[in-house]
Amino acid sequence: MADNNNKSDTDTIDTSHNQKVQHLIDTLQGEHIGGDGKRAIIFRMVMSDHLCPFGLKSIDALKHAGYDIIDRHITTQDENKLVKETLGVKTTPQTFIDGRRIGGNDDLQVFLGNSEPKKEDDKTYAPIIAIFSVTALMTLALCWAFSISVLSMQALMWFVALSMCVLAIKKLEDLEGFTTGFLGYDLLARRMVRYAYVYPFLEAFAGIAMLADQPWLNPIAGIVAFTIGLIGGISVIKAVYIDKRELKCACVGGDSNVPLGAISLTENVMMFGMGGYMLMCALL
């Protein structure tokens, strides 16, 4: 239950809390969101032109955890400056629980057990799992719509083509970031830097051409997919399995923490294999 008054009798803190925090509670507007748990205090931006998303996440987490919340709104830039200077912090929201400053939303989620502490070099396969999962479901949808067996070569071609298109989009989102990562291991890009900039466009072209499935276009798409898949596969094998280097994979863009290895090799094997199949079909 929420009380929209500036403050109420329950909006006070015991003597274990810093009096500067109490001053902010008395100064700022907000609400008291009753709960059965421990007392939590949060200072978050609620402006006419900006509602802080991290503040919303923090409030939601505290509500679900059953905390009794003193929610204080920062409604102007002057108030924002006041909160930061008073608390000695650089960002908001800021949450206090039992007289202890927990910190921003990430720190709060860790404190509540909703997430693990984040590290700069944390490895994750989440982006590539999400892409392959969605493209697999898209392939199933196409098979259902056109009454095609999911075990057919057509289904495999759709899956590879859709995956290539989505992966190309991820690379093109931040072309500079992708090229920086790609130059770290691709053998051809290291000799011809411009190849790194062309690569996502070649991947997108080959994927789109596979979906078009036109007799005159298939050989071209096959050559492109076969070539970039072969070069990419050799590059990954050399970097990871021969040179034993630990690198980030540029397959889903330049800002990911996906480790270079089996995942990137899978992408290249798919392109190499499907490209070879298309060339073989064109020649026979």
Side-chain angles (χ1 to χ4, degrees):
M1 149 173 204
D3 178 2
N4 290 321
N5 293 329
N6 184 35
K7 66 174 184 173
S8 67
D9 292 339
T10 60
D11 291 352
T12 56
I13 53 177
D14 57 48
T15 54
S16 65
H17 285 274
N18 191 305
Q19 292 304 308
K20 291 182 179 180
V21 177
Q22 181 63 61
H23 172 70
L24 290 176
I25 294 174
D26 294 337
T27 302
L28 302 176
Q29 296 182 352
E31 59 184 357
H32 173 223
I33 305 172
D36 299 327
K38 298 177 181 179
R39 174 62 57 84
I41 304 162
I42 182 170
F43 301 98
R44 62 189 181 101
M45 294 181 69
V46 183
M47 299 183 179
S48 58
D49 59 347
H50 177 65
L51 181 59
C52 178
F54 299 107
L56 290 173
K57 289 183 178 182
S58 295
I59 283 288
D60 180 72
L62 290 169
K63 286 180 180 177
H64 279 83
Y67 278 84
D68 186 62
I69 309 166
I70 297 177
D71 179 21
R72 284 297 176 260
H73 300 170
I74 302 169
T75 59
T76 67
Q77 289 300 334
D78 287 340
E79 290 180 351
N80 191 34
K81 181 180 179 181
L82 173 65
V83 170
K84 290 179 180 180
E85 289 180 349
T86 301
L87 301 181
V89 298
K90 294 182 179 180
T91 62
T92 57
Q94 290 293 323
T95 300
F96 290 76
I97 295 177
D98 285 345
R100 170 188 168 192
R101 186 176 72 83
I102 304 303
N105 178 66
D106 288 346
D107 297 319
L108 176 63
Q109 300 297 342
V110 172
F111 177 83
L112 296 176
N114 296 335
S115 65
E116 296 294 327
K118 294 182 179 179
K119 298 179 181 178
E120 289 292 327
D121 57 349
D122 273 353
K123 297 178 180 179
T124 177
Y125 291 98
I128 203 71
I129 291 172
I131 289 172
F132 284 157
S133 297
V134 172
T135 53
L137 290 173
M138 292 169 71
T139 301
L140 290 175
L142 287 171
C143 289
W144 189 9
F146 291 97
S147 299
I148 301 291
S149 171
V150 295
L151 300 177
S152 66
M153 186 55 70
Q154 179 63 71
L156 180 59
M157 182 176 291
W158 280 337
F159 173 68
V160 173
L162 290 169
S163 298
M164 289 173 64
C165 289
V166 176
L167 288 167
I169 291 170
K170 294 298 295 181
K171 295 175 177 71
L172 290 169
E173 281 181 344
D174 180 9
L175 188 56
E176 287 297 331
F178 161 73
T179 56
T180 300
F182 195 60
L183 288 167
Y185 59 88
D186 189 84
L187 297 175
L188 181 56
R190 287 184 160 193
R191 291 180 175 271
M192 298 172 54
V193 174
R194 291 180 184 272
Y195 172 68
Y197 288 89
V198 174
Y199 182 93
F201 295 96
L202 293 174
E203 185 174 30
F205 163 76
I208 294 168
M210 285 182 192
L211 291 174
D213 195 18
Q214 296 299 310
W216 66 271
L217 191 57
N218 286 346
I220 302 173
I223 291 172
V224 172
F226 181 86
T227 303
I228 64 176
L230 177 62
I231 296 170
I234 293 173
S235 299
V236 172
I237 291 172
K238 183 179 186 304
V240 177
Y241 302 105
I242 296 177
D243 297 341
K244 305 295 184 181
R245 299 169 64 199
E246 293 188 3
L247 299 168
K248 292 181 181 179
C249 178
C251 56
V252 289
D255 61 346
S256 76
N257 281 333
V258 176
L260 183 69
I263 295 297
S264 185
L265 187 59
T266 299
E267 176 193 12
N268 289 294
V269 168
M270 288 194 311
M271 290 191 292
F272 171 78
M274 189 53 64
Y277 170 78
M278 294 175 73
L279 284 174
M280 206 165 45
C281 290
L283 295 173
L284 296 178

